[in-house]
Structures are given as structure tokens and as C-alpha cells.
């Protein structure tokens, strides 16, 4: 076995490898090409998306079969973060990574230097050099959380769950990055009044082919919304000025914050951020090429759409933002709550536990917390004023012997958020805690992650 130091490398045998990092850490991996960029969000492997071609995560062990990676992949970067978000690396043992070959024999070991302020470590990369695969020790730290790492590798952190971190009292999840300063930016003109060659409006040039594709998939058509178009145009302009794609612009605003700033309150939202296509028709063709982007175009839940386009100063690249949404209507919060409770109780029933009863007072506290995270731009169990789950429950009038809380951000459906909680040991423990008898659910759209969810338990 070889003991690696930062920068050291070792040739690897052919076949599947196992990479293990025992201890209080979350393991994830990024699959990239020679340029160090992912192809799409499917190249990010973590506990909520535990597999990709040639890579599978199980607990603290990542299995990598270089020969089975997707076409064009030349590198797998292994990442670790504390499994509790409020615990700095400096309070944990140094991560120690072990690499084993196809026969189970230990090949390499890397003890990373003890981090200080960093919240994420790039431990090693498995990379191709000619016809050979090697492992190189890194030990590179990031202070802005897993989201910062994901963005640097080109991951859409909201769609792929890089920022869809979940947390629960005492059993927290991936850390959330530092919150940048929010800078006001005036909304630019929407595209609905502009024309394409031939005289048709951009709205028509977009909605016609879009609704044809949706009809072919069995989904109802969407209508143009000026507020979504204004938010999309603003975000496209910010990306064009920066010369790069991103859910969050240099002004510190996420695309979802731009939507809610126009007065559009939503219960469902989706987006495409693309550069390159020259026309709406080319953009749609690009969106229909990959499964994830195509699902957004076809998603029957959306009722409204908006489109923004801007040309970059450098190179003349065209940047697009397409937004999809369904407005928050009467009864939507109640339906969302009922669905999350039903899915939660289904998990409890599978474990032989009695169902949780909905408590309107816990619901009031949970809803207030989700809305507060959007309004004050934070993601934590502890509010900026220092209050916690028990404080919020008591303030709503719900006096309980014990309380617990799960929060999540970025998930786009009730099933997705409950599945994410069940895939995380701390959240699963809250859901399956025999002593809890009541529950309240909160949901809010907007903020940096797009959606914010709260489960508040009581006994």
C-alpha cells in the first residue's frame, strides 16, 4: 500500500475500485472531462443521487469503474464534507481515504492535512493519463461549502441537489455556503415585444414550438407571463455581462429571487440556463436533447412560461433564461402539506409505526419558518434572531414535550423532498421516531434555492 502526500500519484489496475472515507463525513464525487467541467447535473454523485455510469455511492464508500464511466469522462474527483453542517472540520478527525483494487487489496491511503476554516475538501482525483488511470492526492479545501465546489465544476446546484441540502435537529446535512451581498438590479425589458425574423414575437416563437412539444408529450400548454419574462430577461442580461452561466448572478441574486421580486408567487418552478443557441427554436432543440431538460419542458405541472435573451460583451455568445412556473393559488399550501404528511406517514407505516396527526399550530410554525428563510435569505434551524424549532413551536401556541425539525431546500416536489429526507440518516430518524405524535409542514417558493421545506414534529 502506498501512503500518498498532496500531489502524489499512483497508477491503478484495471477494473472497479473502491474509495472509502470512514468517519463523520459525507462523501460525494464529480465526474468531469479534461477541462474539469461536468457535462450535466447527472455527473454529480452524492447521497441524494447515489449513482452515475461507472460510479456508485453507498454510505462511506464510493465504487468507481473507470471503464464504465460515461463517454468523454476522464476524471472523478472525490469530495468530503462534515455530515453535520454546524461542525467545522477543525473539530473532526482528519479525513483518511483508502483506495482498494478490484481484488479488495488496499492500494493507497491518503491522510489529508487537518483543515481549519474549510467546510469541504477535495481529497483525491482518479484521472486518465493516456491508456492508464491514476489516483492523485489533492487535499484542497473550500470555505464556501459544497455549493461552491459544485459551481466551480459547472453543476447547476439547485437542479442536481448540490444545494438541496437537508438538515434536522442534531442530525444535520451538507453545509450551506456563505450568503453574498444582495445588490439591487432594475428589471430589464421583457422579450414579449421583440420580434424574430419574419415579424413574429419572441413569445410566439417560443410558445408555439414549446406547446407543440408539450402536446406531443400529453401535457397542457403554457401561457406567456410578463413577470416571468422580466425575471428571465434580467437574469440572462446578468449572465451575459459576466460571460458565464449560473443560477446566481454576480449581483448576488438567484434566478428564483428575481421571479418573486416581480410579484410572481409560485408553488412550482423550473428553469433552463443555456448559452449558444441563436434563436428560440434552437434553444428548444437544445433543451429537448437531454432527459433532465426535456422533463422540464414537458412537465405538466407548469402553467406559465417566460424567456430572456442577452448577448455577451465578449465573443458575442447568446445567453438564455427560460422560466417555467405554476402560481401559488388558494389551497396549494394545504395540498402540499397533505401530500408531505401522507408520504411521511407511508414511511412510518412501512416501519410499523403509527401515523402522525397534523397539528395546525405546528403547521403555522413550520410555514412561518419556510417563509422566513426565503424572506431573510438564510438556511438554518436557527433563525437570525437566535430562535430555534422549540421557540417557534411555542410562539405559535404549540406546547410540546419534545420537538424535532427537518428542513430542506431546492426540491421540486413533495415526493422528492420526502425521498431526500429518508435517504439521510438524521432526517430519517426524525421521521421514524416512535415518540413523535404530531407534525406540521411548511413550504415557500423563492430565495436562493427556489423552494424551502420544513417538517416540525412534536410529542
Amino acid at each position: 500500500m502506498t501512503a500518498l502526500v498532496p500531489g502524489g500519484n499512483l497508477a491503478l489496475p484495471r477494473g472497479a475500485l473502491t474509495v472509502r472515507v470512514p468517519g463523520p463525513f459525507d462523501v460525494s464525487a464529480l465526474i468531469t472531462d479534461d477541462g474539469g467541467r461536468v457535462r450535466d447535473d447527472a455527473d454529480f454523485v452524492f447521497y441524494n443521487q447515489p449513482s452515475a455510469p461507472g460510479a456508485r455511492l453507498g454510505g462511506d464508500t464510493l465504487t468507481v469503474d473507470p471503464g464504465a464511466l460515461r463517454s468523454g469522462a476522464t476524471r472523478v474527483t472525490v469530495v468530503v464534507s462534515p455530515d453535520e453542517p454546524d461542525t467545522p472540520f477543525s473539530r473532526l478527525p482528519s479525513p483518511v481515504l483508502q483506495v482498494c483494487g478490484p481484488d479488495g487489496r488496499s492500494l493507497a491511503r491518503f491522510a489529508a492535512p487537518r483543515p481549519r476554516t474549510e467546510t469541504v475538501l477535495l481529497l483525491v482525483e482518479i484521472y486518465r493519463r493516456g491508456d492508464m488511470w491514476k489516483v492523485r492526492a489533492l487535499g484542497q479545501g473550500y470555505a464556501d461549502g459544497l455549493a461552491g465546489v459544485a459551481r466551480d465544476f459547472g453543476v447547476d446546484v439547485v437542479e442536481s441537489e448540490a444545494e438541496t441540502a437537508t438538515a434536522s435537529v442534531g442530525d444535520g446535512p451538507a453545509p450551506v455556503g456563505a450568503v453574498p451581498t444582495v445588490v439591487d438590479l432594475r428589471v430589464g425589458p421583457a422579450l414579449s415585444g421583440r420580434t424574430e425574423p419574419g415579424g413574429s414575437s419572441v413569445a410566439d416563437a417560443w410558445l408555439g414550438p414549446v406547446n407543440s412539444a408539450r402536446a406531443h408529450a400529453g401535457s397542457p400548454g403554457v401561457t406567456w407571463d410578463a413577470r416571468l419574462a422580466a425575471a428571465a430577461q434580467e437574469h440572462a442580461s446578468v449572465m451575459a455581462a459576466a460571460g458565464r452561466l449560473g443560477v446566481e448572478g454576480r449581483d448576488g441574486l438567484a434566478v428564483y429571487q428575481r421571479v418573486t421580486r416581480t410579484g410572481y408567487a409560485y408553488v412550482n418552478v423550473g428553469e433552463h440556463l443555456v448559452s449558444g443557441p441563436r434563436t428560440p427554436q434552437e434553444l428548444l432543440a437544445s433543451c429537448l436533447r437531454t432527459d433532465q431538460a426535456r422533463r422540464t419542458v414537458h412537465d405538466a405541472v407548469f402553467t406559465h412560461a417566460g424567456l430572456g435573451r442577452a448577448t455577451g460583451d465578449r465573443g458575442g455568445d447568446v445567453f438564455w433564461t427560460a422560466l417555467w412556473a405554476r402560481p401559488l393559488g388558494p389551497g396549494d399550501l394545504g395540498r402540499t402539506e397533505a401530500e408531505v404528511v401522507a408520504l411521511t406517514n407511508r414511511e412510518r407505516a412501512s416501519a410499523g409505526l403509527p401515523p402522525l396527526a397534523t397539528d395546525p399550530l405546528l403547521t403555522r410554525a413550520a410555514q412561518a419558518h419556510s417563509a422566513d428563510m426565503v424572506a431573510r435569505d438564510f438556511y438554518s434551524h436557527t433563525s437570525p434572531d437566535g430562535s430555534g424549532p422549540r421557540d417557534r413551536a411555542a410562539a405559535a401556541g404549540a406546547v410540546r414535550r419534545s420537538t424535532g425539525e427537518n428542513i430542506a431546500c431546492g426540491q421540486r416536489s413533495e415526493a422528492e423532498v420526502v425521498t431526500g429526507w429518508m435517504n439521510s440518516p438524521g432526517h430519517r430518524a426524525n421521521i421514524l421516531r416512535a415518540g413523535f405524535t404530531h407534525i406540521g409542514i411548511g413550504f415557500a417558493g423563492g430565495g436562493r434555492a427556489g423552494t424551502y421545506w420544513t417538517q416540525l414534529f412534536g410529542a
Side-chain angles (χ1 to χ4, degrees):
M1 181 186 68
T2 299
L4 296 174
V5 297
N9 65 78
L10 176 72
L12 296 170
R14 295 184 181 275
L17 310 164
T18 57
V19 179
R20 182 169 181 257
V21 187
F25 308 109
D26 281 335
V27 180
S28 52
L30 291 139
I31 301 167
T32 60
D33 54 22
D34 284 333
R37 305 286 288 180
V38 299
R39 186 171 64 181
D40 55 39
D41 294 344
D43 283 347
F44 186 26
V45 177
F46 66 116
Y47 74 83
N48 239 8
Q49 185 172 278
S51 64
R56 175 170 292 278
L57 179 64
D60 61 6
T61 301
L62 176 72
T63 302
V64 179
D65 184 352
L69 294 171
R70 54 95 172 157
S71 175
T74 60
R75 188 177 305 170
V76 178
T77 303
V78 181
V79 182
V80 294
S81 56
D83 63 8
E84 295 191 15
D86 297 327
T87 304
F89 265 123
S90 59
R91 291 175 52 191
L92 299 175
S94 293
V96 177
L97 176 144
Q98 294 179 323
V99 181
C100 294
D103 58 359
R105 182 173 60 88
S106 182
L107 301 175
R109 178 181 184 273
F110 176 52
R114 180 177 294 278
R116 296 184 180 180
T117 60
E118 293 87 346
T119 56
V120 172
L121 278 177
L122 309 187
L123 279 184
V124 300
E125 60 180 5
I126 297 168
Y127 64 102
R128 188 174 67 196
R129 181 59 53 86
D131 294 332
M132 181 180 297
W133 284 85
K134 294 185 173 184
V135 59
R136 177 188 292 120
L138 299 175
Q140 176 185 349
Y142 275 69
D144 54 350
L146 196 58
V149 176
R151 289 192 188 99
D152 279 1
F153 280 77
V155 176
D156 178 340
V157 296
V158 175
E159 285 290 338
S160 70
E161 310 301 330
E163 281 245 333
T164 52
T166 53
S168 58
V169 173
D171 295 290
V176 176
V179 178
T181 302
V182 174
V183 179
D184 188 30
L185 184 72
R186 291 187 301 168
V187 175
L191 279 174
S192 57
R194 302 183 186 178
T195 59
E196 286 291 287
S200 64
S201 73
V202 174
D204 293 336
W206 180 238
L207 290 185
V210 160
N211 283 334
S212 176
R214 288 173 65 87
H216 186 73
S219 299
V222 292
T223 58
W224 186 266
D225 187 273
R227 295 164 297 178
L228 293 180
Q233 181 58 41
E234 180 184 276
H235 198 70
S237 297
V238 170
M239 292 192 300
R244 65 179 180 87
L245 299 173
V247 171
E248 187 175 301
R250 282 183 175 176
D251 59 353
L253 288 177
V255 65
Y256 317 108
Q257 292 169 305
R258 302 187 203 281
V259 172
T260 55
R261 280 158 52 97
T262 68
Y264 191 106
Y266 60 79
V267 68
N268 299 102
V269 69
E271 75 285 334
H272 290 111
L273 308 178
V274 181
S275 65
R278 312 301 295 184
T279 67
Q281 293 83 356
E282 290 180 8
L283 171 64
L284 179 60
S286 173
C287 293
L288 293 175
R289 286 193 192 107
T290 60
D291 289 342
Q292 183 170 316
R294 184 168 55 247
R295 283 196 297 270
T296 299
V297 175
H298 292 164
D299 197 332
V301 74
F302 297 130
T303 59
H304 293 123
L307 185 67
R309 178 183 63 189
T311 302
D313 297 332
R314 298 186 296 273
D317 288 340
V318 179
F319 289 80
W320 299 87
T321 298
L323 290 173
W324 315 79
R326 180 165 73 91
L328 180 67
D332 279 332
L333 290 180
R335 285 191 291 272
T336 297
E337 176 192 17
E339 180 66 14
V340 174
V341 171
L343 292 169
T344 299
N345 281 334
R346 186 180 304 170
E347 298 292 348
R348 288 177 63 88
S350 297
L353 296 170
L356 300 171
T358 300
D359 182 337
L361 299 178
L362 290 178
T363 297
R364 181 189 304 171
Q367 181 59 37
H369 188 53
S370 288
D372 191 32
M373 286 191 287
V374 169
R376 292 201 275 180
D377 195 18
F378 73 98
Y379 177 69
S380 175
H381 294 292
T382 303
S383 300
D385 59 13
S387 61
R390 183 181 293 274
D391 302 314
R392 291 189 286 271
V399 179
R400 294 287 172 181
R401 184 177 69 256
S402 62
T403 58
E405 184 177 80
N406 288 345
I407 60 175
C409 64
Q411 291 83 358
R412 302 302 174 89
S413 70
E414 297 87 351
E416 185 180 349
V417 73
V418 173
T419 298
W421 279 327
M422 288 300 294
N423 285 339
S424 176
H427 311 88
R428 179 185 178 92
N430 269 349
I431 289 173
L432 301 183
R433 190 159 294 166
F436 286 145
T437 56
H438 291 78
I439 190 173
I441 304 298
F443 168 84
R448 205 168 298 276
T451 58
Y452 290 77
W453 307 79
T454 302
Q455 280 183 318
L456 188 55
F457 304 89

